Amino acid sequence: MAEELADRFEGRPVVSTEVAMHGLVWDVVRDRVDLGEAGEVTREYVRHPGAVAVAALDEQGRICLIQQYRHPVRAFEWEVPAGLLDVDGEAPHLAAARELHEEADLTAATWNVLVDYVSSPGGLDEGLRIFLARDLAEVPHAERHDRDGEELGMPVRWVALEDVRDAVLAGRVHNATLAIAALAVLAARDLDWSTLRPADAPWPGHPHLRG
């Protein structure tokens, strides 16, 4: 029987570490790492708190998208609601619910873990978890979040999963989390949702939440 395909979470010894640059949101860290037989190497990376994202599906099977300006890539990207794990002690699934409320004016009665991934493991330690949210309801107007900055006037659009898939494969949309979310939902739906995990499932792929 073939060995199960899985990543190994075995950090190499860190000989020394320092903050190479303090940023407004995150820092750049410089580590000296002992790779054993390969010797010691110095690696710089962005220290990131991690993030959550939400694939919110309505009764017609459409996914909720938002469009937000992302200055580093100079683009108004179509994305799914998402945000940083930047509230001390807040569980990831509660952070996802907060982001869905704040960015899309929605709540969900049913939550599951859809997929986990690391966004750019050669340059930052961000772990990102995408949740599937169903049985949706609109947030009453009086309880909606006041958006500002890049979120001010942010469009919300409901799109069929197949249309998102086609846009990804045609190169018309480029956000990695959106692509992973849409393709993962399509795959999970084809498997009759048997791959879904509980909303509070362990998250070994997040470097700060292993234990």
Side-chain angles (χ1 to χ4, degrees):
M1 186 174 179
E3 182 180 353
E4 182 181 50
L5 181 66
D7 293 333
R8 285 190 309 153
F9 301 114
E10 298 177 6
R12 301 295 86 189
V14 176
V15 177
S16 64
T17 185
E18 63 179 319
V19 176
M21 189 200 77
H22 288 284
L24 293 174
V25 179
W26 36 63
D27 298 332
V28 175
V29 176
R30 181 181 297 122
D31 285 352
R32 187 73 180 168
V33 185
D34 183 357
L35 298 181
E37 188 176 326
E40 294 184 3
V41 296
T42 299
R43 294 291 181 263
E44 292 182 345
Y45 60 96
V46 174
R47 179 177 289 157
H48 195 288
V52 291
V54 185
L57 294 188
D58 68 7
E59 294 180 353
Q60 301 176 51
R62 300 177 301 175
I63 189 170
C64 177
L65 305 186
I66 58 176
Q67 190 178 52
Q68 187 170 354
Y69 179 65
R70 296 299 191 181
H71 182 68
V73 294
R74 310 299 200 270
F76 288 87
E77 280 198 321
W78 284 108
E79 308 178 353
V80 293
L84 299 175
L85 290 170
D86 56 0
V87 177
D88 287 343
E90 185 178 45
H93 66 283
L94 298 180
R98 173 174 53 81
E99 292 296 340
L100 184 64
H101 180 160
E102 292 180 358
E103 295 194 345
D105 301 321
L106 294 171
T107 61
T110 303
W111 288 88
N112 291 99
V113 173
L114 179 64
V115 68
D116 302 328
Y117 75 99
V118 287
S119 56
S120 185
L124 64 157
D125 65 359
E126 179 188 25
L128 200 146
R129 168 163 281 186
I130 304 176
F131 291 87
L132 179 66
R134 292 173 289 178
D135 301 316
L136 306 175
E138 291 189 357
V139 175
H141 283 275
E143 300 174 16
R144 293 185 177 183
H145 180 69
D146 291 328
R147 294 189 276 270
D148 56 14
E150 289 90 344
E151 297 181 352
L152 183 65
M154 189 165 56
V156 176
R157 183 173 173 181
W158 293 91
V159 183
L161 289 165
E162 292 80 4
D163 291 341
V164 178
R165 175 201 62 200
D166 293 347
V168 169
L169 296 177
R172 298 195 304 272
V173 297
H174 305 89
N175 183 269
T177 303
L178 171 57
I180 293 169
L183 296 176
V185 174
L186 284 167
R189 188 185 67 184
D190 287 347
L191 294 168
D192 198 25
W193 307 116
S194 63
T195 59
L196 298 180
R197 288 171 278 157
D200 60 351
W203 189 357
H206 191 305
H208 307 307
L209 296 179
R210 294 172 194 157

